[in-house]
Amino acid sequence: MLRWKLKKSVPFEADETLISYMRQAPREAGVDVCQPALARLRIIREYESLVEGVGLHPGVVLSASLAAISLLEDEKPTLLARVSGSTLTTAIVRRGVLCGLSLHGTPCARRRPHAANAS
């Protein structure tokens, strides 16, 4: 069902998508919270093959933004903002719980160069 819903949401084929999740501490008593993660399978396989090429076995392939979350202060709400190329990633963490994660194309990525007049 999730793959079917993804067909309209991701910029590549849903069949090429690797779906994973991270279980978090409950926000309320008895409420389990899971943070889903999507990645293009081809990209994950590239990372895994690099590691396997040097004789290691990959356990977890994690985005740089998610990996950086463990560096944030744990007690008070913290906003992480990371720009890579034309993508802005924001994450809000409070007491070790990921409260929000969002990726956006930055305005400079949508800007098109103006053609110079040849006259």
Side-chain angles (χ1 to χ4, degrees):
M1 175 119 163
L2 184 57
R3 284 196 189 280
W4 178 77
K5 288 187 176 194
L6 284 175
K7 286 183 182 184
K8 297 179 183 179
S9 305
V10 295
F12 44 86
E13 292 296 320
D15 295 340
E16 299 173 11
T17 306
L18 180 65
I19 302 171
S20 186
Y21 67 92
M22 177 179 72
R23 193 169 187 187
Q24 300 189 101
R27 292 185 190 171
E28 301 172 14
V31 177
D32 285 334
V33 178
C34 289
Q35 179 66 45
L38 305 173
R40 196 171 197 166
L41 186 58
R42 179 178 55 84
I43 303 298
I44 298 299
R45 295 292 182 243
E46 285 180 27
Y47 282 109
E48 290 175 337
S49 67
L50 286 172
V51 172
E52 290 167 350
V54 295
L56 300 173
H57 301 285
V60 175
V61 177
L62 194 60
S63 76
S65 298
L66 288 176
I69 287 173
S70 63
L71 302 173
L72 300 177
E73 188 165 328
D74 204 33
E75 288 305 310
K76 53 187 171 182
T78 306
L79 171 67
L80 167 74
R82 178 177 178 266
V83 176
S84 177
S86 62
T87 303
L88 168 66
T89 303
T90 56
I92 301 172
V93 178
R94 185 179 63 209
R95 294 190 184 120
V97 175
L98 182 62
C99 300
L101 178 69
S102 183
L103 291 104
H104 306 278
T106 59
C108 62
R110 290 188 278 274
R111 221 179 284 153
R112 295 179 192 258
H114 295 288
N117 286 338
S119 356

